[in-house]
Amino acid sequence: MSQNKPQLSCGSCVLTRICLPANLSPEETRILGGAVERGRELRAGARLIRAGARTDALYVVRGGSAKSCGLMSNGEEYVRAFHLPGEVAGLEGFACGRHTCEVVALEPMSYCRIPSGPLERMMATLPGLRRELMRLLGQSLEEAQRMRIESSTIDARGRLARFLVDLSSRLELRHLSPTHIRLSMSRRDIAHHLGLTVETVSRTLAAFRRASWVEVRARYIELLQPAALASLPVR
Amino acid sequence: MSQNKPQLSCGSCVLTRICLPANLSPEETRILGGAVERGRELRAGARLIRAGARTDALYVVRGGSAKSCGLMSNGEEYVRAFHLPGEVAGLEGFACGRHTCEVVALEPMSYCRIPSGPLERMMATLPGLRRELMRLLGQSLEEAQRMRIESSTIDARGRLARFLVDLSSRLELRHLSPTHIRLSMSRRDIAHHLGLTVETVSRTLAAFRRASWVEVRARYIELLQPAALASLPVR
DNA sequence: CGGCGTGTTGATTATGGTCAAGTTCTGTGG
DNA sequence: CCACAGAACTTGACCATAATCAACACGCCG
């Protein structure tokens, strides 16, 4: 693997302001970049992280998207999160030194890899990186806890609406259209992410369509009234 | 506040093997202990952390118990977690430098406080502490994500059973009876933690009682058949 | 063209929320 | 010690939501 060519350094990456280095000093960014390996292209369905594998690196999506999924006690798959470019996957691996969920590409995907060794060493010397990782973990925790309660308090409409609005804002942050969305994940993935069934996702989308809040054509979704979606009653 | 008397150091605390120092070297434990402040007794209902407050410290429950709770978009309170002795509260504050949830004592409670400043400095020099904090964050994340899905996949019986079994094992870890439990939280707290209503919690407990799985008398609960609770079908 | 995965729609049902009426518990003041 | 008030908890009746089961449409690839 040939990597770390100057022109690929974190500082000159289009994602700099969205990715891990977002809050790092130029110097810290340079050092971080020195430790980053550039992964090869993955095809849709390829596995980035295998559940049970030793936590030997963190991964950042560079292009495309991925899902993190785990297995429930009854064997059903559930989707913990979707990852867009600049988002970090594998953080849960810090829990016990092993990854507890599979990370799978949803479409052709590229990524960066930060091996644990250098990461640990940088954590000792780069306070900014330390803070950033703690921040990311705290934020994910925050998010998961909020969603946990909402999942059992907010109805299907509210959850799906929130999902669309959230996705939209994350796309916008990446200078993609916040209203014309091509979903890289299946209805099944969405359902398993929101704790619903495919049927309910389908029906709820249909309801949004009838209300003229969205335009749906297979995996293309256009948000016609994002405000309506964002302000759905909470039961 | 007079603190850090030798006999109160982390190394000689009864919680050492359960608390933050659990995986630290004696030397690291000593240094950590030097930064820990001993908080005064709180009465039931007193607030340990105020939502919105700057994250200026981490807190560890020493005696008694507490709940972390946030506010949902509709103003309803929800309970993120219950904290037993040796458990850390305030980790979510790492997300943005401010605490996003209230931490409230459920009964007379004592605690330790680790100010952010010393904590940051120790993070730079103590790799064990760094790893431990990352591990804690990862574990909480893990837990929250698992519960998030279960909350919308597992029925009320399963959720309540899981809650009791989990609580039981945490009590056992602290050398308290895993079967004779005095709940420090109200039914309302339990309901708001599991994403249920008080009525459902009450009814479900009654069902467990009829099945002779538990004995319930107000806040005293005896687990008669923990195995039955632990092996509840997942829908 | 057929077959399969993916998605949609309909009918039925079970789970848990809501509303309402008690009951028990706890602390307070006479 | 008892009376009482208010909170916490329990139980019942009813109903809304989403899961389940089943059939069908659509797109994609061989």
Side-chain angles (χ1 to χ4, degrees):
Chain A
M1 233 186 281
S2 95
Q3 59 236 6
N4 306 333
K5 300 184 190 117
Q7 72 276 21
L8 291 175
S9 78
C10 287
S12 57
C13 174
V14 285
L15 294 171
T16 318
R17 300 262 61 87
I18 293 171
C19 190
L20 259 184
N23 299 311
L24 300 190
S25 71
E27 174 64 3
E28 288 184 318
T29 302
R30 201 187 54 73
I31 298 175
L32 175 66
V36 171
E37 296 174 3
R38 186 188 186 178
R40 73 192 194 305
E41 288 281 320
L42 296 180
R43 68 191 187 292
R47 202 162 49 178
L48 180 59
I49 298 179
R50 189 168 46 81
R54 285 274 307 277
T55 305
D56 58 356
L58 271 191
Y59 296 85
V60 182
V61 175
R62 190 134 47 77
S65 55
K67 63 173 174 179
S68 297
C69 45
L71 241 53
M72 292 197 306
S73 25
N74 61 359
E76 278 292 306
E77 175 188 292
Y78 66 91
V79 177
R80 295 194 182 188
F82 296 112
H83 305 284
L84 301 186
E87 292 178 340
V88 179
L91 280 175
E92 23 63 59
F94 282 123
C96 68
R98 292 192 175 276
H99 288 293
T100 51
C101 61
E102 309 257 323
V103 177
V104 177
L106 289 169
E107 54 191 323
M109 196 197 100
S110 58
Y111 65 93
C112 293
R113 179 174 185 275
I114 312 172
S116 298
L119 188 66
E120 288 253 337
R121 281 191 289 281
M122 288 187 294
M123 291 263 291
T125 53
L126 308 181
L129 179 63
R130 207 157 57 221
R131 250 192 304 275
E132 186 63 9
L133 280 175
M134 298 289 279
R135 197 186 62 75
L136 275 177
L137 272 165
Q139 209 166 45
S140 308
L141 177 57
E142 183 84 11
E143 167 84 357
Q145 284 182 331
R146 190 181 48 72
M147 286 195 70
R148 178 170 83 75
I149 300 301
E150 290 188 347
S151 286
S152 45
T153 313
I154 299 184
D155 63 14
R157 290 160 53 91
R159 277 187 259 173
L160 188 60
R162 198 175 262 279
F163 168 72
L164 291 174
V165 170
D166 172 66
L167 185 60
S168 166
S169 72
R170 281 155 73 197
L171 290 172
E172 186 165 30
L173 192 65
R174 287 160 183 80
H175 307 295
L176 298 168
S177 168
T179 50
H180 297 65
I181 303 176
R182 191 188 51 77
L183 299 175
S184 58
M185 67 292 284
S186 67
R187 300 283 194 271
R188 188 170 167 279
D189 287 334
I190 298 176
H192 284 175
H193 179 54
L194 300 176
L196 299 170
T197 57
V198 232
E199 291 98 322
T200 301
V201 169
S202 192
R203 266 188 266 269
T204 308
L205 265 182
F208 287 170
R209 187 171 40 69
R210 277 192 294 276
S212 296
W213 292 353
V214 301
E215 180 66 43
V216 183
R217 222 166 28 256
R219 292 200 179 180
Y220 285 86
I221 293 204
E222 181 179 351
L223 305 190
L224 302 172
Q225 311 235 29
L229 291 173
S231 66
L232 260 194
V234 187
R235 274 213 189 165
Chain B
M1 236 185 281
S2 95
Q3 59 237 6
N4 306 333
K5 300 183 190 119
Q7 73 275 21
L8 291 175
S9 77
C10 287
S12 57
C13 174
V14 285
L15 294 170
T16 317
R17 300 261 60 86
I18 294 171
C19 189
L20 259 184
N23 299 311
L24 300 190
S25 70
E27 174 63 4
E28 288 185 319
T29 303
R30 200 185 55 73
I31 298 176
L32 174 66
V36 172
E37 296 174 3
R38 185 188 188 178
R40 72 189 195 305
E41 288 281 320
L42 296 181
R43 66 189 188 293
R47 201 162 50 179
L48 181 58
I49 298 179
R50 190 168 46 81
R54 285 275 306 279
T55 305
D56 57 356
L58 272 190
Y59 296 86
V60 182
V61 176
R62 192 135 45 77
S65 56
K67 63 173 176 181
S68 298
C69 45
L71 240 56
M72 292 197 307
S73 24
N74 61 359
E76 279 292 306
E77 173 188 292
Y78 66 91
V79 176
R80 295 193 181 189
F82 296 111
H83 305 285
L84 301 186
E87 291 178 341
V88 179
L91 281 174
E92 22 64 57
F94 282 123
C96 68
R98 291 191 176 276
H99 288 292
T100 51
C101 60
E102 308 257 324
V103 177
V104 177
L106 290 169
E107 54 190 325
M109 196 195 102
S110 58
Y111 64 93
C112 293
R113 178 174 186 275
I114 311 172
S116 298
L119 188 66
E120 288 254 337
R121 282 190 289 280
M122 288 187 292
M123 292 263 290
T125 52
L126 307 182
L129 179 62
R130 207 156 58 222
R131 249 193 304 274
E132 186 61 11
L133 281 174
M134 298 292 278
R135 197 185 62 76
L136 274 178
L137 271 165
Q139 209 166 46
S140 309
L141 176 57
E142 183 84 11
E143 166 84 358
Q145 285 181 331
R146 189 181 49 73
M147 285 196 70
R148 179 170 83 75
I149 301 299
E150 292 188 346
S151 286
S152 45
T153 312
I154 300 186
D155 63 15
R157 289 161 51 90
R159 277 187 259 172
L160 188 60
R162 197 175 262 279
F163 167 72
L164 291 174
V165 170
D166 173 64
L167 185 60
S168 166
S169 71
R170 282 156 71 199
L171 290 173
E172 186 165 29
L173 192 64
R174 287 159 182 83
H175 306 296
L176 298 167
S177 168
T179 51
H180 297 65
I181 303 176
R182 191 187 51 77
L183 299 174
S184 58
M185 68 291 283
S186 68
R187 300 281 194 273
R188 186 168 169 280
D189 289 333
I190 298 175
H192 285 176
H193 179 53
L194 299 176
L196 299 170
T197 58
V198 230
E199 292 96 324
T200 301
V201 170
S202 192
R203 266 188 268 270
T204 309
L205 265 182
F208 287 171
R209 187 169 42 68
R210 277 192 294 277
S212 295
W213 291 352
V214 302
E215 180 65 44
V216 184
R217 225 169 24 255
R219 292 200 178 181
Y220 285 87
I221 293 203
E222 180 178 352
L223 305 191
L224 301 172
Q225 311 235 31
L229 292 172
S231 67
L232 261 193
V234 187
R235 272 212 190 169

